[in-house]
Amino acid sequence: MLFYAIRRVLGAIPTLLVIITLSFFLMRLAPGGPFAGDRVLPPEIARNIAAAYDLDKPLWQQFLIYLERLAHGDFGPSYKIRDFTVTQLIMNGFPVSLKLGLLAITLAVAVGTTLGILAALRQNRPADYSVMTLAMIGITIPSFVTAPLLQLIFGIYGLHIFGLNLSLPVGGWNGGAAQNLVLPVIVLALGPIAVIARITRGSMVEVLRSNFIRTARAKGLPTWRIIVHHALHAGLLPLVSYLGPAIADIVSGSLIVEQIFGLPGIGRYFVQAALNRDYTLVMGVTIFYAALIITLNLLVDLLYGVLDPRVRLK
């Protein structure tokens, strides 16, 4: 397994290089620039700024300079956010995105697996159809629709049930207070809940029809014991494969949610940097997310090999 991990890490280097190359040149192909604005700068000042950031050099030479700095762990300064390097911005914003992502994926796994198991145990019954219908709705409705809707219900109008005021803040971080996390975490978790419910339901239906489950039932074991001690172990293996990309996706997928709820996460920096043509910040966040996805996929593959003895990682 050690050699497999080393081989995967070495194989990730060309992948990262391709991502860096494409991101670098595609950013430069977009119209405008980091210092292009409504106010036209005097030619002398524009030349000095371009020279200070090596933007006056040929594109291929800029790319080589960027690779050299990147090899030393330097993402460079932000072109738009003064007095901050890209590394500082990522380190400031990532804990917010990470906290949102981990809470959302925890909620998604808890709710999604429960709904999937319930649907599998009630296959082709009203409970099964209801769960799958809700799952399809959760998959098809994007977060930029559910986020404003929940803001209206719980924030603007306020929701009152049994005399309780369930109003919640519609934006802001407030130091990571629980009431400020509820709505963005729910919005982030809705999509993965739907996917996890469908994966769990399909896998559990297949496992419950297996011979070893029939044998367990023939021995007279209680249903709960068959599910907990036998079916879940095999039925949740496909979920492990999904969780690696899902965790990275839910952290990086908070781009829109952070913008809507006004959260100081790395996703908000990325959106603002893309709009402002802040090349170094966009590149830094892109590389960071790519490395995160590769790392999580590797961890999932290793975990899958531990959980399923039939899998041999060589």
Side-chain angles (χ1 to χ4, degrees):
M1 187 174 291
L2 176 61
F3 293 106
Y4 173 80
I6 295 174
R7 189 169 69 249
R8 284 288 302 270
V9 171
L10 294 177
I13 296 175
T15 304
L16 274 176
L17 185 59
V18 171
I19 293 172
I20 293 168
T21 304
L22 290 176
S23 301
F24 184 90
F25 288 103
L26 287 175
M27 278 296 298
R28 266 61 175 188
L29 287 176
F35 304 107
D38 297 332
R39 185 169 66 91
V40 179
L41 297 174
E44 302 82 11
I45 296 178
R47 283 195 296 269
N48 290 337
I49 292 176
Y53 291 101
D54 297 317
L55 296 176
D56 59 335
K57 295 179 173 59
L59 197 56
W60 64 269
Q61 194 171 352
Q62 294 181 40
F63 179 63
L64 294 179
I65 292 173
Y66 184 79
L67 286 181
E68 181 182 359
R69 292 174 178 171
L70 197 61
H72 293 86
D74 182 13
F75 287 110
S78 171
Y79 290 160
K80 286 294 185 179
I81 304 177
R82 296 181 179 179
D83 302 324
F84 282 94
T85 64
V86 173
T87 302
Q88 289 174 328
L89 292 173
I90 291 176
M91 291 301 100
N92 289 338
F94 183 65
V96 176
S97 299
L98 182 63
K99 186 174 184 178
L100 285 175
L102 292 180
L103 288 173
I105 199 66
T106 302
L107 177 63
V109 170
V111 177
T113 52
T114 302
L115 293 177
I117 293 171
L118 175 64
L121 294 176
R122 298 291 186 269
Q123 185 184 6
N124 298 328
R125 297 180 185 177
D128 182 18
Y129 296 140
S130 300
V131 170
M132 289 300 99
T133 300
L134 291 175
M136 288 304 300
I137 294 174
I139 292 173
T140 54
I141 298 180
S143 58
F144 60 81
V145 174
T146 56
L149 183 61
L150 292 181
Q151 285 178 324
L152 283 174
I153 296 174
F154 289 95
I156 305 301
Y157 299 139
L159 186 63
H160 300 270
I161 299 178
F162 303 118
L164 297 176
N165 184 7
L166 301 180
S167 298
L168 293 168
V170 297
W173 179 240
N174 193 23
Q179 63 269 22
N180 291 74
L181 291 173
V182 173
L183 291 183
V185 166
I186 291 175
V187 171
L188 277 175
L190 286 177
I193 285 174
V195 176
I196 290 173
R198 289 182 63 83
I199 292 175
T200 305
R201 188 258 184 195
S203 179
M204 288 294 293
V205 166
E206 182 179 354
V207 170
L208 290 174
R209 294 174 178 173
S210 302
N211 291 331
F212 72 94
I213 297 295
R214 293 194 185 98
T215 302
R217 285 173 174 165
K219 290 181 177 180
L221 293 178
T223 302
W224 68 268
R225 188 173 180 181
I226 292 174
I227 295 171
V228 173
H229 293 280
H230 299 279
L232 275 181
H233 181 76
L236 295 183
L237 280 177
L239 181 60
V240 175
S241 299
Y242 167 76
L243 284 181
I247 293 173
D249 183 62
I250 204 171
V251 173
S252 60
S254 63
L255 304 178
I256 297 174
V257 174
E258 289 175 9
Q259 192 72 12
I260 292 175
F261 288 96
L263 304 177
I266 192 174
R268 191 179 182 190
Y269 286 137
F270 183 80
V271 173
Q272 293 174 349
L275 294 175
N276 295 327
R277 300 294 187 269
D278 194 341
Y279 297 151
T280 52
L281 185 52
V282 171
M283 290 291 298
V285 175
T286 302
I287 296 169
F288 183 79
Y289 275 143
L292 179 65
I293 292 172
I294 292 172
T295 302
L296 289 174
N297 281 335
L298 172 61
L299 293 177
V300 166
D301 287 345
L302 296 177
L303 179 61
Y304 203 94
V306 172
L307 294 176
D308 191 349
R310 296 171 298 177
V311 177
R312 292 290 180 265
L313 303 176
K314 298 180 180 179

